[in-house]
Amino acid sequence: MDYDTLFSERIGRLKEAGNYREFTDLERRAGRYPRAMNHSIGREITLWCSNDYLGMGQHPVVAEAICETVNQIGSGAGGTRNIAGTSHPLVLLELELANLHQKEAALVFTSGYVTNSTVLSTLGTLPDMVLFSDALNHASMIEGVRFGKCERHIVRHNDAEHLEELLASVDIKRPKLIAFESVYSMDGDIGPIKEFCELAKRYNALTYLDEVHAVGLYGESGGGVAEREGLSDQVDIIQGTLGKAFGVVGGYIAANAKLIDFIRCYGNGFIFTTAMPPATAAGAAASVRHVKKDIQSRIRLHRNVNVVKSRLTAAGLPVLPNPSHIVPVMVGDANRCREASNLLLEKHDIFVQHINHPTVPFGTERLRITPTPLHTDEMIDHLVESLQNVFDELGLAREPVTQPAEPMPASVNS
């Protein structure tokens, strides 16, 4: 077997379809974010697509906590928490996260992906469990649902009526779990938390809410959309990340103590993985504490989001409407989307990554823009002007977008 040829053929298919993944060699500049050095072209550019939504990845309070902890404790965790022991900064981080979501306990994982995959698959092992998963859930949630190897149903995206039909088809006495997101990161729409929680109570189900693109950004303390809507106590399991608005790395769940203990004792993705390093945990805890109180950064973020959306729309660019901080500019073709991203970087020193299949369905390729509180009005002016120039140069369609992008067929996520 000629394995190199086999690999090359598969890569060739991606390149032909415009879906080959390339990495841009960037070096973010602490104190100058969202500016970064692009080593491939040798000059500074402006980031417009980072999930470091509040710029906490370069905040002094986070850097100081990490450096101080490295000097005191060292770098690595030494192994799994079962074998090497649990570092005290990790204990403090979990207390901070439980407090953020007003839950009894929290459990930290090495990433948001590992969190979703581990927790959902572990809950799927409960006797006679049935999982109900929104059709546009993240790949990590889909993997967890599949690995659970229990009965599962795919719910049409954000469709409470369809969810109720599916719930009603299952014996009320069977254990059930409804898994969905608050902010969907590609279209930027928001899940019907209240309606799904009400159905969960009616049909004896647990709720699992992925808030990775909402923690830090919504709610008085940055607890997410559930906090903003006064529904945190109605959600059984809140899942979040430390790698986006909190600017570090890792994932977690917050829930009641018994559920947390069950996952801690049965979740293979937790048990058999080297723990988060203590310095990372200390930095994350410092970030969470800071973000809870930093209301002004959230205000500035949403102000900038509103300005960017209104300016791009007024310029006739095809912005997908939504109620969140995500700004999708629709292109609709993989190769053209890549060209637009490359032109923005090469000619205008703006980095906005193209989003192609399989992250989004074919025909809904887009540029995904994420304003931060640190983007200036001058940067916004430059972004709008540059996007207009790129759309004109490539002859891209400017038809207004009035409906959300078509979701992937349920079979893709089942």
Side-chain angles (χ1 to χ4, degrees), residues 282-299:
S287 182
V288 173
R289 285 192 294 270
H290 179 86
V291 168
K292 282 180 181 177
K293 300 175 183 178
D294 190 9
I295 297 172
Q296 288 305 311
S297 284
R298 282 190 282 282
I299 292 173

Side-chain angles (χ1 to χ4, degrees), residues 311-312 314-317 344 381 383-393 398:
R311 291 284 308 279
L312 292 177
L317 292 161
L344 282 169
D381 290 341
L383 172 71
V384 175
E385 180 181 349
S386 299
L387 275 168
Q388 285 181 295
N389 289 340
V390 166
F391 266 67
D392 288 343
E393 183 171 344
R398 293 201 184 199

Side-chain angles (χ1 to χ4, degrees), residues 236-305:
D236 295 297
I237 310 162
I238 294 177
Q239 185 264 347
T241 184
L242 301 165
K244 294 182 171 58
F246 294 127
V248 192
V249 69
Y252 66 89
I253 55 169
N256 71 45
K258 284 187 172 60
L259 189 145
I260 293 293
D261 202 27
F262 168 72
I263 299 298
R264 184 183 68 85
C265 292
Y266 282 91
N268 285 350
F270 173 81
I271 295 170
F272 298 105
T273 300
T274 297
M276 174 184 285
T280 304
S287 182
V288 173
R289 285 192 294 270
H290 179 86
V291 168
K292 282 180 181 177
K293 300 175 183 178
D294 190 9
I295 297 172
Q296 288 305 311
S297 284
R298 282 190 282 282
I299 292 173
R300 177 75 181 177
L301 167 83
H302 293 292
R303 178 264 180 194
N304 280 354
V305 169

Side-chain angles (χ1 to χ4, degrees), residues 7-146:
F7 298 145
S8 296
E9 287 175 352
R10 296 300 295 272
I11 292 298
R13 294 182 202 174
L14 289 177
K15 290 181 176 179
E16 186 177 348
N19 293 321
Y20 179 69
R21 294 176 182 269
E22 297 176 357
F23 293 151
T24 303
D25 185 359
L26 299 177
E27 180 184 343
R28 300 199 303 175
R29 299 301 177 101
R32 289 179 53 77
Y33 184 76
R35 299 289 288 169
M37 172 60 69
N38 182 345
H39 285 283
S40 62
I41 59 178
R43 60 178 184 265
E44 275 200 344
I45 53 91
T46 302
L47 297 170
W48 273 103
C49 57
S50 173
N51 287 340
D52 187 359
Y53 294 128
L54 298 174
M56 290 303 297
Q58 52 105 59
H59 199 285
V61 72
V62 177
E64 289 168 9
I66 291 173
C67 292
E68 181 179 336
T69 306
V70 167
N71 290 332
Q72 289 180 351
I73 298 176
S75 57
T80 69
R81 292 170 70 172
N82 304 285
I83 292 174
T86 293
S87 68
H88 189 58
L90 192 44
V91 174
L92 297 179
L93 172 59
E94 288 176 340
L95 291 173
E96 200 69 57
L97 292 167
N99 176 266
L100 174 67
H101 296 292
Q102 295 300 294
K103 298 294 185 185
E104 290 180 353
L107 193 65
V108 168
F109 297 75
T110 51
S111 73
Y113 193 105
V114 172
T115 308
N116 277 332
S117 178
T118 300
V119 176
L120 289 171
S121 63
T122 305
L123 289 169
T125 66
L126 289 170
D128 220 18
M129 172 60 86
V130 186
L131 294 180
F132 300 84
S133 178
D134 188 278
L136 290 192
N137 278 342
H138 188 266
S140 58
M141 299 176 76
I142 296 167
E143 180 177 281
V145 170
R146 284 174 171 165

Side-chain angles (χ1 to χ4, degrees), residues 167-314:
L167 287 166
S169 70
V170 176
D171 188 338
I172 191 72
K173 295 180 182 178
R174 294 182 65 181
K176 308 172 194 69
L177 177 72
I178 304 165
F180 62 109
E181 302 183 32
S182 57
V183 176
Y184 287 85
S185 64
M186 290 300 118
D187 289 351
D189 55 335
I190 293 177
I193 302 173
K194 182 174 185 293
E195 291 84 349
F196 279 16
C197 286
E198 288 174 349
L199 288 171
K201 283 187 169 52
R202 192 177 309 162
Y203 290 95
N204 190 31
L206 293 172
T207 46
Y208 183 98
L209 178 64
D210 179 313
E211 289 254 41
V212 298
H213 290 277
V215 289
L217 308 183
Y218 300 87
E220 184 176 353
S221 303
V225 178
E227 184 195 29
R228 185 190 69 180
E229 297 181 3
L231 296 169
S232 295
D233 62 331
Q234 302 298 305
V235 179
D236 295 297
I237 310 162
I238 294 177
Q239 185 264 347
T241 184
L242 301 165
K244 294 182 171 58
F246 294 127
V248 192
V249 69
Y252 66 89
I253 55 169
N256 71 45
K258 284 187 172 60
L259 189 145
I260 293 293
D261 202 27
F262 168 72
I263 299 298
R264 184 183 68 85
C265 292
Y266 282 91
N268 285 350
F270 173 81
I271 295 170
F272 298 105
T273 300
T274 297
M276 174 184 285
T280 304
S287 182
V288 173
R289 285 192 294 270
H290 179 86
V291 168
K292 282 180 181 177
K293 300 175 183 178
D294 190 9
I295 297 172
Q296 288 305 311
S297 284
R298 282 190 282 282
I299 292 173
R300 177 75 181 177
L301 167 83
H302 293 292
R303 178 264 180 194
N304 280 354
V305 169
N306 290 335
V307 170
V308 169
K309 285 182 176 180
S310 62
R311 291 284 308 279
L312 292 177
T313 302

